[in-house]
Every structure is written in structure tokens, then in C-alpha cells.
Amino acid sequence: MITRFAPSPTGPLHLGHAYSAMLAHDLALNAGGEFLLRIEDIDRIRSRPEWEEAIYEDLAWLGISWEAPVMRQSDRMEVYSEALDGLWARDFLFPCTCTRKDIAAAMSAPQEGAAMGPDGLIYPGTCRRSHTGLPHSLAPRPKDQHLRLYMSLAASSVCEHHVNRSGETLWSVGFAEEGAGPNDEHGWIETDCDTLTKGIGDVVLARRDMGTSYHLAVVLDDAAQGVTHVTRGQDLFEATAIHVVLQRLFSLPTPIYHHHRLIRDETGRRLAKRDDGRSIRRYREDGATPSDIRRLVGLE
Ligand code: GLU
Ligand code: ZN
């Protein structure tokens, strides 16, 4: 078993991060497996070396040790670019020049209604057709525009035939959930083709400003690190179907997922990076011990 913790160095680690890291570390340790660390720093504007240093410091203080080397996404831009070239050549991507405003406007057209998917507004398809009518891939891959995944093509290429418990035939992709989604979803989780296309849509795989995206990077990196169990917050449960589609497109294995509850404050709000009062460093400075932190997040 190989688990990982994949923080973004864009602020201090808080109790929610501590919970995620300790849970993944415990799972690996109990199974005699390995725990890996990955620094998710594709957002070059918000990522800071001092936050990365603080991650190492906080984790070490929590009693967490990780196998070297640490993977850093900023070292892997070449890998992401090659993967995008591959999808581009297979015609699964198209450039998109829409602004958020364009998308909202296209969606307020009668009968469409602004629908939200796990990746934000569901893209109405404005740029899906090329201006020339020829396949997009006949032109070189643009590096300065958003590239979206043509989800209906992707879905029809990766969805598999399943017969569910009531004997109905579904075209779907699935993954094993050993934790739980926000509505206690667990076991074998299936997403049908139609939901991929209509409920998720043409997600951005390369952002103009980053040359990649969270979805693309996380899938390639988990595979490159040989992660067998992805432990992360329930906020990412809905995005998992996108990751499974990408794993199938790249012929990568689908890990087992373990989504965990989110740590909330007294008012029920989930903790954010700006909640400095909940930062691990602050607890440490106030004299808390690592076992106090374990207790606070409900790990013992
Ligand atoms: N880097 C992401 C975050 O800080 C986590 C991604 C993941 O675990 O898949 O929320
Ligand atoms: Zn567009």
C-alpha cells in the first residue's frame, strides 16, 4: 500500500491538513506500506517557498515521516505538456477562449439554466467546433489558451458496460471508495456516461496561465508515485470521476480512494488557509502537543 499527502504551499497547514496527513500516514503504517509527500505547486503565483518549508516543519513536528524524494509538481511541467500533446493528437482537446462571463451568458439562454458541476460551471460547448471544421489536432497545440477535454468523446471512449443490481445496463466508469463521500457514498461508485457529459462536462485540462490543471497533474502524479490509496478530503469526492476518465484515457491504473470528512470550525464552516488561528504552527506556539492535535481532529 502506498498513500500520499499532497498539499499546496499556498498558506499554513491547518487542522484539516493535519487530519488528512495523519490519516494517510496511519493507513500506510498499519499496512506496512509507504507514505509519500507531494508538493502541489502548479499555481506559481500563490505558491511560496516559505510555505513549502513550513509544510516540512509542521509534518515533522506532527511525527510524520515520508519517503524521499518529495515530488514537486513544478518539476514536472514537461510531463504534463507531453501528456497534453498526446491527448491533443488524439483529438480529445479543444482550445477555449471563453471568459467566465461568456460561459455564464451562454448558460442563461432559455432552457439551459446555469448548472454547476464538480469543476464549477458546466461548460456550454461554445468553442467545441473548430473554425475550419477540421480536427483541432491538425493545428499545433496552442500553449496560450485554455484546453478543455471533449468529455462526450472521452466518455464514449472510456465508459464500460455494466449491469447493475436491478439488472439495468449502464455505460459507466467506476472506482472503489473505502472512505465515504459527502452523502456517505462508499463501496463501488459508478458514474454513468451521461452524467460525465451533462453533469461534469468539458473540464479545463490546461489552464492558459499554468500550462496544466489540478485534474491532469493529480492523475499523472499519483500514477508516477505508484499511489495505491488516495486519501483526501470529501470536497474532492465529486472530482474523482474526472480523474477516473483521465486514468482510462492514459491507460493508468485507478487507485483505491479514501475520502475523509472535513474538519470544521464551531460554526460548521470548513477550515480555510486564511483561518490562521487553526494553523498547526499556532497550536504549536501555544504549547499544544502532537497528541493534542490527534485528539482535536478525532483520531484518538
Ligand atoms: N493539493 C490539493 C489540496 O491542497 C489536494 C489534492 C488531492 O489530494 O488530490 O487541497
Ligand atoms: Zn470556450
Side-chain angles (χ1 to χ4, degrees), residues 4 6-8 40 214 218 232 236:
R4 49 73 160 180
S8 305
E40 301 216 317
Y214 160 67
V218 79
R232 62 186 182 191
L236 291 166

Side-chain angles (χ1 to χ4, degrees), residues 155-197:
S156 58
S157 126
V158 304
C159 279
E160 287 157 5
H161 204 196
H162 280 273
V163 180
N164 71 11
R165 286 196 202 92
S166 11
E168 292 163 330
T169 301
L170 287 179
W171 285 92
S172 60
V173 288
F175 65 92
E177 175 62 60
E178 286 191 349
N183 300 305
D184 198 36
E185 302 91 335
H186 56 273
W188 186 250
I189 309 293
E190 276 188 61
T191 306
D192 65 86
C193 244
D194 216 43
T195 304
L196 289 173
T197 307

